[in-house]
Amino acid sequence: MRLIVQSIDKKKKIFYCILNQRREAFYLSNKLAKVFLPILEPYVLVDFEVREKKIKKLGNTTTFVYPVTYFNYIEKLNPKIVLYDLNTLRKDMKRVLDQYEYFLFLDCEMTMPGYKKGKFIPEIIQVGYILADKYKNVILDEGYYIKPLDEESINKRTVKFLNLDVEKFNNEAKDYHVFYEKLSSIINKYQPKIVVWGKNDVQAINYSYHLHEKEPLTYPHHFIDLLKLHKDYFNLSNDIKLFDAYKTYYGVTEQLNQEHNARTDAIVTKDVFDAFLIHMSESVEK
């Protein structure tokens, strides 16, 4: 809906507009309030989406409000100043992604705490990565196990969750320095943006440097969190699963069970990224 703000109650995180000749209350979540309350003021034009009206308890009172899901556009009318434009932000997001030459789609599997309580240090025990250029040409495709420092971390819970063949793992697992040196070589040669789904893989890699007493190879600016991109682009309030995103893009109707295999997840991450770029190209206004 497209309305003019009449008044604002910042304490209650509500703004009021006239809708169908009635003064209605529109409620902002904590996340939206943090971003948009500072720029909302009376007589500002707002274009936004809402959920169905519901009763909301605000302090000692209750009132009917429309929960706002996201804003499309905010404009100050006199003088005319665009304060927020979602379509412009989407264009900027696409423009930023288009400037990179190489992408490394990376996934890690980690050990899990055992069923008994005690000190636990998560370790990377499998990595999978796909290096591709901006034209989707695959340059490198690898996946392998990594030996943990703590052999007891390959516990029953980890084995069950990852459906791990322990004998195969013991025979094939490489030392951590192999992964470290391969990652170093890729970064030095290609300077790729490292695409991950969520924060877990970034945290695991950062912790692995400390655990193995290695100098960090990566810093926050090296990574693209594809989950966060989706949440920002589509204005999602909740996280979505990687395989659910894949099903949506590729029209898969049957149930897909995540295997918790690092190389498979890296491939799916690339597929979702490629589909996301296509969607951006088709939906962002020129």
Side-chain angles (χ1 to χ4, degrees), residues 228-249:
K228 186 177 186 305
L229 283 187
H230 276 73
K231 292 181 71 174
D232 291 345
Y233 189 89
F234 295 109
N235 290 291
L236 304 175
S237 57
N238 298 318
D239 288 351
I240 55 175
K241 296 179 180 179
L242 174 63
F243 277 66
D244 287 343
Y246 178 89
K247 287 169 62 177
T248 300
Y249 280 123

Side-chain angles (χ1 to χ4, degrees), residues 9 11 24 26 104 118 193-194 228:
D9 187 331
K11 185 175 181 180
E24 299 285 4
F26 299 90
L104 183 68
K193 280 294 177 179
I194 303 173
K228 186 177 186 305

Side-chain angles (χ1 to χ4, degrees), residues 54-217:
K54 68 176 185 179
I55 295 177
K56 182 75 175 177
K57 183 173 177 60
L58 300 167
N60 297 322
T61 63
T62 58
T63 186
F64 284 95
V65 300
Y66 285 98
V68 177
T69 54
Y70 64 90
F71 289 92
N72 295 307
Y73 185 82
I74 302 174
E75 179 185 309
K76 186 174 182 178
L77 297 176
N78 189 20
K80 182 177 179 179
I81 301 173
V82 176
L83 302 175
Y84 175 81
D85 187 343
L86 177 59
N87 190 61
T88 297
L89 292 179
R90 286 173 170 171
K91 287 181 180 179
D92 291 342
M93 189 183 298
K94 182 178 183 300
R95 191 178 300 113
V96 169
L97 293 178
D98 285 345
Q99 73 181 351
Y100 301 127
E101 295 294 327
Y102 298 98
F103 298 94
L104 183 68
F105 303 92
L106 174 68
D107 186 82
C108 304
E109 298 294 346
M110 283 77 74
T111 56
M112 302 180 67
Y115 294 111
K116 295 181 180 179
K117 292 184 178 180
K119 184 178 179 181
F120 170 71
I121 300 175
E123 294 193 59
I124 297 174
I125 57 171
Q126 188 185 35
V127 294
Y129 45 84
I130 311 294
L131 176 66
D133 63 22
K134 64 188 302 181
Y135 305 106
K136 304 179 184 179
N137 299 310
V138 174
I139 300 167
L140 185 64
D141 177 350
E142 288 193 309
Y144 46 85
Y145 295 122
I146 296 176
K147 296 176 185 177
L149 291 177
D150 181 7
E151 294 181 358
E152 294 184 3
S153 64
I154 308 298
N155 52 43
K156 291 182 179 179
R157 188 177 181 186
T158 299
V159 170
K160 181 179 179 180
F161 183 76
L162 298 180
N163 193 25
L164 197 64
D165 183 327
V166 177
E167 183 177 356
K168 181 179 181 181
F169 177 87
N170 290 334
N171 290 334
E172 298 181 3
K174 305 177 185 295
D175 290 332
Y176 173 83
H177 74 80
V178 173
F179 166 62
Y180 183 87
E181 290 172 4
K182 284 178 177 286
L183 181 60
S184 177
S185 177
I186 292 169
I187 291 173
N188 289 333
K189 184 174 182 179
Y190 296 98
Q191 294 86 49
K193 280 294 177 179
I194 303 173
V195 183
V196 295
W197 188 266
K199 298 178 180 179
N200 290 345
D201 296 300
V202 179
Q203 293 171 347
I205 290 173
N206 288 340
Y207 193 76
S208 75
Y209 300 140
H210 171 74
L211 193 63
H212 293 270
E213 299 180 343
K214 298 286 189 180
E215 288 294 321
L217 298 172

